[in-house]
Amino acid sequence: QLQASGGGLVQTGESLRISCVASIPAFNTWYMGWFRQAPGKERVFVATIHTNARTTYYADSVKDRFTISRDNDKNTVFLQMTKLKVEDTAIYYCAVQDPTAHSELSVEPRQYAYWGQGTLVTVSS
């Protein structure tokens, strides 16, 4: 089970950090990812992080503004979002990728086995 939290309403240019606690065994053996879905649009990749907590990959739209991190002791993955834009408004979902099924960090939702319920981030102008 994945529980995302921390979403809310912010203004353009502000920052927000969202979190996801994963109640799954051996959290430190799973890659973790964040995706988002804006109203009327498909779910898209945002960021992903390796089990080593150092290797990361970002969508071009959030590179240099968002930072993904994880705390393996607390079974938690974070997404620090800065310089937020109106177009960042979406429901943000955390997800788990099994590295034994696909060894490379993936941007494809179909490579992720488990999903949280999402947390809504709204950026107003």
Side-chain angles (χ1 to χ4, degrees):
Q1 181 179 0
L2 304 177
Q3 183 71 41
S5 63
L9 174 63
V10 297
Q11 296 197 337
T12 302
E14 293 185 339
S15 300
L16 191 68
R17 187 177 81 158
I18 57 177
S19 306
C20 174
V21 178
S23 300
I24 56 175
F27 172 81
N28 61 348
T29 66
W30 300 82
Y31 298 160
M32 297 298 298
W34 285 99
F35 290 75
R36 67 186 182 186
Q37 187 167 17
K41 296 188 177 180
E42 293 185 350
R43 191 172 301 188
V44 297
F45 168 77
V46 174
T48 182
I49 187 165
H50 196 279
T51 55
N52 63 24
R54 296 187 304 275
T55 306
T56 58
Y57 185 74
Y58 297 91
D60 287 343
S61 59
V62 306
K63 200 173 298 181
D64 299 326
R65 297 190 299 123
F66 290 11
T67 302
I68 187 172
S69 61
R70 64 190 295 164
D71 184 336
N72 286 335
D73 291 334
K74 296 182 178 179
N75 282 25
T76 303
V77 61
F78 304 96
L79 188 68
Q80 177 69 49
M81 303 179 288
T82 66
K83 302 176 184 177
L84 282 161
K85 305 176 181 179
V86 171
E87 50 265 43
D88 294 319
T89 295
I91 299 174
Y92 284 72
Y93 298 92
C94 58
V96 175
Q97 180 190 343
D98 182 358
T100 65
H102 186 78
S103 61
E104 296 184 357
L105 295 176
S106 177
V107 303
E108 297 292 338
R110 60 184 173 87
Q111 297 292 348
Y112 287 77
Y114 306 108
W115 293 81
Q117 87 293 351
T119 186
L120 176 62
V121 174
T122 304
V123 185
S124 65
S125 59

